Amino acid sequence: MFKIYAHRRMILCFFTLAFALVFPFAQAAYAHAYSAGYTTLTLSQSQTEMIYMLDELSVIELMNGDSNSDNKLDQEEFSAVKERMEAILKENLTFTMNGEPKAWTQVVSLGLEQQGGATKLVLKAIYPPASPSMTVSFIDNLYTKDAKTNYVNLLTINHGDQKSTEALSGNFRTWNMALTDKDFESEHTNSINGWFSFFKLGMSHILGGYDHLLFLFSLLIARQTLKQYATMITAFTIAHSCTLTLTVLGIIHVPPMIVEPAIALSICYVAIDNIRRPSVSHRWVLTFLFGLIHGMGFADILKEMSIPRSELAIDLISFNLGIETVQILIVGLLVPLLYFMHRYKYARRIVVACSSVALLLGAIWLLERVMTI
């Protein structure tokens, strides 16, 4: 009797863990997974120019301006919220010189523009010029009071004939540069901060990518040997690293209208495979093929950023290492638990139940993404 009770407790504990892992995916099934801003600062002796872009859906969420609920802003809807949007950006995007905030001296334009098949809010504003020996900063406080929104501002800085990049996200929302007499060159510390910001971005990107996490969970929950797990994760890593790099470099381009539904479809396929087959084999082949698709999804947030060639390699590696760090932690947590779970007679029922939930969520995402094409 005690043994049966212990088994039931183990099953209940695993169901609780699985629910805790899957429940955030259910909450986010209709959520906007990532809000992405893109800022270009151009420093010159005559002025400091800022171009800031934000995706259309983020503008809708901030302003509640979609009066006809079609997930788009027409010109009339945007005109109604334009002044309020400008005030929000002015309050939350701060440029400082030697620690003193500077207001923009001119708003060149603020409107909606088509960028690569998507609509974005584009703000062009002018700040006062910076001078050598100054320390300048850019601070983005947008969404800091909204813990539910995953937001990143991909910052490109043009100074003299040079470029540098940084990803502002999470609690790290400030960029600093000490200007010199040499065409606004930055100190060496900026390159260190730059690669680390992309490492953190990779970590937060996969943690906020509920579809990628659910795909990984669906792959892992099926009964497999340690060798199969290692082969499968290696195949996924190689595949998504290849397409991530090729997409950011512009060598391949598959539009999001294909990639996003394909990612949702990959979850459905793996979930059905789990339900249909008690024991899976050669899953690394399937994982490699779907990993190619997921790599294109990982690249979405970076490919619109004008990363300098001199920094591209280190930024890409840092971003990918951030993704892999989270992936290894998840695998390290789940595989031992799954090993013990599969020793019990009700393990198959747990696999089918969790895979059914994954199938449902994947189907919801698939339908949602197909409908928005």
Side-chain angles (χ1 to χ4, degrees), residues 285-298:
V285 178
L286 176 71
T287 305
F288 182 86
L289 294 175
F290 282 132
L292 296 173
I293 303 288
H294 282 253
M296 298 175 196
F298 288 143

Side-chain angles (χ1 to χ4, degrees), residues 51 61 88 199 302 338 354:
I51 300 177
E61 291 173 344
I88 287 176
F199 176 79
L302 294 181
L338 290 168
C354 291

